[in-house]
Amino acid sequence: MKSLPIVSIVGRQNVGKSTLFNSILRAQSAITENTPGVTRDVLQKLVERDEFKTPFILSDTPGLDIENLDEISKDIIEIAFLHLKNSDLILHIIDHKDLRKYDHKLIDLFKKDEELKQIPLLTIINKVDTEADEYDLEPFYKLGLNELVPISAIGRRNFPLLFEKINYLLPDKIKKPDDPYCKIAIIGKPNSGKSSLLNTFLGFKRAVVSDVPGTTRDSVSSQFLFQSKKIEIIDTAGIRRKSKTGESLEFYSYKRTLHSIGEADVVVLLVDALKGLGDFDKKIFGEIQELGKPMVLAVNKWDAVPEKETNSWKHYQERMEAKLSILKERPIISLSAKEKIRTHKLLEMVISLYEKSQKKLTTRALNDWLNKWGGKNRVMKATNRPPKVFYATQVSQVPFKILFFVNDSKLFPSNILSFFRKSIVKEFGLEGLSVEIELRNRNEGKEAKE
């Protein structure tokens, strides 16, 4: 069983595979010459750098041309393809200035081979030495390539983006059949009804239910089936203000809660309907936002609210949104954990939000969206230097982050970024998620940090 993920560099002969290998390593490990076919074996090295979320094995494969094969070359290529099928990420490198027949053969292979189709593929357009070259990627999108990164391997141009995409496409871990479908953390102030909600989900008494604040001091993890999916749910210790001494149980409960938020796929922030949204709830919401976690705000004990009218919930929701305007873009539900009112609906919302958060928007899809957006040529047209987006790419899921390469980030005021964000959310069905847009100037970050 593999202990570390494998990232394999592949391409036809003399497109710069070994140069890329050495540039990522910052070491002269492979032989780099202009003579095709110099690399005859699969060369592997451990990559362990601060820029990557996990160490991995980087592999440099032989050039996979198939014209005029001798018997030795056939054996080498067969071994190389067997190695590719054992990879966790494939970096397919193409020469920007020299697209050949065999490049098309490799592209077709990645599309048709059932085993290779299951492995994430990042196409690297090498020898992109100027800004003009970097902007001219349309011919490669027309080949049906989904994830592209234009670079210069020899000059390390655009390596920060390359590293981000490797992090993004490498799986954190391989899910086992018995792993939960998703993890939910129930958080909130003491006595907001967290344990009652957990018990309602489970259908039996797993946690202690009490009206005494702070009964649950440790996080309790349980699993149950919902819509044939295994859900792991965490009932965290009641959140209280952080103690100045750092010695109290409340301090450690707070730290465990932050840990639970970090471990969860979706967070349910539970608020007592009778007490409303307080300052501390807003601070915890800020912690969730900081991590970019999908979240549902659940207003518990709604059945106990006196003198409700037809529009009571609408007015209540408007008051919360007035205190925290970002709630207009987040899912909110009223419920009663004790009476089992809308608890089923809450789980449906959680599952829906989780599935949205797992979407990976391809670079091709994002740039198709950019090309369709007619407004990009009209925005601030009156200025001498209009804002321009060269291309967009997703670099993270949690937080859900999209990177825009632009001519000048100063030309993009907040209202334009808000328009971008809302348009992306609508186009790709990301309602309820915290979608971040990061601007990067074209002339920034030509070399990754060591």
Side-chain angles (χ1 to χ4, degrees):
M1 184 176 178
K2 295 181 298 183
S3 57
L4 288 175
I6 294 173
V7 177
S8 296
I9 302 172
V10 63
R12 63 172 174 80
Q13 295 177 355
N14 210 31
V15 292
K17 297 185 304 300
S18 296
T19 303
L20 176 62
F21 183 85
N22 292 332
S23 293
I24 292 175
L25 289 171
R26 275 294 203 185
Q28 191 71 21
S29 297
I31 302 169
T32 54
E33 294 181 14
N34 289 326
T35 304
V38 170
T39 303
R40 305 296 289 176
D41 300 300
V42 175
L43 181 64
Q44 294 187 310
K45 291 286 183 179
L46 171 67
V47 176
E48 198 167 13
R49 303 174 52 133
D50 292 340
E51 293 94 332
F52 296 114
K53 64 184 179 181
T54 182
F56 59 85
I57 302 299
L58 184 66
S59 299
D60 180 23
T61 60
L64 300 182
D65 292 24
I66 58 174
E67 284 77 16
N68 303 317
L69 287 181
D70 54 34
E71 287 304 316
I72 296 175
S73 296
K74 286 180 182 178
D75 291 341
I76 291 169
I77 288 175
E78 185 177 348
I79 291 169
F81 274 114
L82 287 173
H83 175 80
L84 277 186
K85 293 181 180 183
N86 195 42
S87 302
D88 298 284
L89 173 63
I90 296 172
L91 306 181
H92 174 211
I93 188 166
I94 296 176
D95 188 329
H96 177 259
K97 300 176 176 65
D98 188 16
L99 188 65
R100 296 186 184 179
K101 186 177 180 181
Y102 189 67
D103 294 312
H104 292 273
K105 290 184 179 180
L106 271 179
I107 291 167
D108 288 341
L109 179 70
F110 289 130
K111 288 179 181 177
K112 294 175 182 178
D113 188 282
E114 290 302 321
E115 291 178 82
L116 291 176
K117 279 164 61 177
Q118 307 304 314
I119 302 169
L121 174 69
L122 177 61
T123 302
I124 296 173
I125 312 301
N126 191 28
K127 305 180 185 178
V128 176
D129 302 316
T130 67
E131 290 185 12
D133 289 338
E134 196 165 344
Y135 190 62
D136 184 27
L137 298 178
E138 193 60 32
F140 298 99
Y141 286 118
K142 288 180 178 178
L143 295 175
L145 301 170
N146 287 323
E147 291 290 356
L148 299 182
V149 173
I151 69 161
S152 171
I154 198 166
R156 293 173 60 84
R157 181 186 179 89
N158 223 11
F159 266 46
L161 176 60
L162 172 62
F163 289 0
E164 286 175 285
K165 294 299 287 187
I166 289 174
N167 275 329
Y168 171 61
L169 293 171
L170 258 185
D172 288 319
K173 61 179 182 177
I174 306 300
K175 271 201 168 187
K176 300 174 185 176
D178 58 341
D179 284 344
Y181 181 73
C182 77
K183 296 181 180 180
I184 305 169
I186 307 174
I187 66 170
K189 289 187 291 190
N191 208 29
S192 58
K194 299 182 300 300
S195 296
S196 295
L197 183 59
L198 173 64
N199 291 338
T200 296
F201 288 155
L202 296 177
F204 61 91
K205 215 164 191 177
R206 173 63 181 83
V208 178
V209 180
S210 172
D211 291 331
V212 180
T215 298
T216 306
R217 291 178 178 173
D218 295 299
S219 298
V220 178
S221 178
S222 302
Q223 294 185 351
F224 64 99
L225 289 177
F226 179 73
Q227 295 178 344
S228 300
K229 298 177 178 71
K230 186 187 290 184
I231 310 299
E232 183 171 312
I233 193 157
I234 306 164
D235 172 37
T236 58
I239 300 171
R240 288 185 177 176
R241 294 185 182 277
K242 196 184 296 186
S243 167
K244 292 181 181 178
T245 65
E247 295 296 332
S248 68
L249 289 171
E250 286 75 15
F251 171 77
Y252 290 109
S253 293
Y254 179 88
K255 299 298 287 185
R256 290 189 197 101
T257 297
L258 294 185
H259 177 75
S260 296
I261 293 171
E263 290 293 308
D265 297 310
V266 181
V267 178
V268 174
L269 177 54
L270 207 59
V271 174
D272 188 326
L274 299 174
K275 296 178 181 178
L277 189 71
D279 290 339
F280 198 61
D281 295 309
K282 290 191 282 185
K283 288 182 180 179
I284 293 301
F285 180 81
E287 298 279 4
I288 299 168
Q289 284 285 100
E290 185 72 22
L291 292 172
K293 292 289 182 176
M295 185 215 73
V296 178
L297 180 64
V299 180
N300 192 26
K301 306 180 186 179
W302 185 248
D303 57 313
V305 174
E307 300 178 3
K308 289 195 287 288
E309 298 175 357
T310 304
N311 293 320
S312 292
W313 171 242
K314 180 183 177 183
H315 295 151
Y316 190 98
Q317 192 169 340
E318 288 172 350
R319 289 195 297 272
M320 286 195 298
E321 290 170 353
K323 290 183 178 181
L324 198 60
S325 60
I326 192 65
L327 289 177
K328 294 177 182 178
E329 300 175 15
R330 301 290 174 267
I332 305 175
I333 187 173
S334 63
L335 57 86
S336 171
K338 186 178 179 181
E339 301 299 327
K340 300 179 177 59
I341 298 172
R342 284 186 289 279
T343 51
H344 189 277
K345 177 66 176 175
L346 171 61
L347 277 177
E348 289 179 335
M349 292 171 69
V350 165
I351 296 299
S352 173
L353 202 60
Y354 169 71
E355 290 174 348
K356 289 179 183 180
S357 75
Q358 296 304 294
K359 288 185 178 181
K360 286 194 173 184
L361 309 182
T362 67
T363 304
R364 181 185 179 188
L366 282 167
N367 286 280
D368 285 347
W369 164 78
L370 271 175
N371 290 331
K372 286 191 298 183
W373 176 53
K376 68 176 179 179
N377 297 318
R378 298 194 299 269
V379 175
M380 295 174 65
K381 203 169 184 178
T383 63
N384 293 327
R385 193 180 178 213
K388 185 179 292 184
V389 181
F390 295 104
Y391 63 94
T393 187
Q394 186 179 352
V395 293
S396 172
Q397 281 180 290
V398 180
F400 203 99
K401 184 186 292 184
I402 297 170
L403 186 63
F404 280 17
F405 280 87
V406 301
N407 57 339
D408 189 347
S409 59
K410 295 176 182 176
L411 299 175
F412 291 79
S414 59
N415 63 317
I416 297 300
L417 290 180
S418 178
F419 175 83
F420 274 134
R421 193 178 294 107
K422 289 177 181 177
S423 179
I424 288 172
V425 166
K426 183 178 180 181
E427 176 77 13
F428 297 103
L430 304 174
E431 291 82 3
L433 290 184
S434 175
V435 177
E436 297 180 17
I437 293 177
E438 180 182 325
L439 301 180
R440 187 170 296 174
N441 292 338
R442 168 55 66 236
N443 59 354
E444 286 182 1
K446 292 184 180 180
E447 183 165 326
K449 295 179 182 177
E450 279 299 314

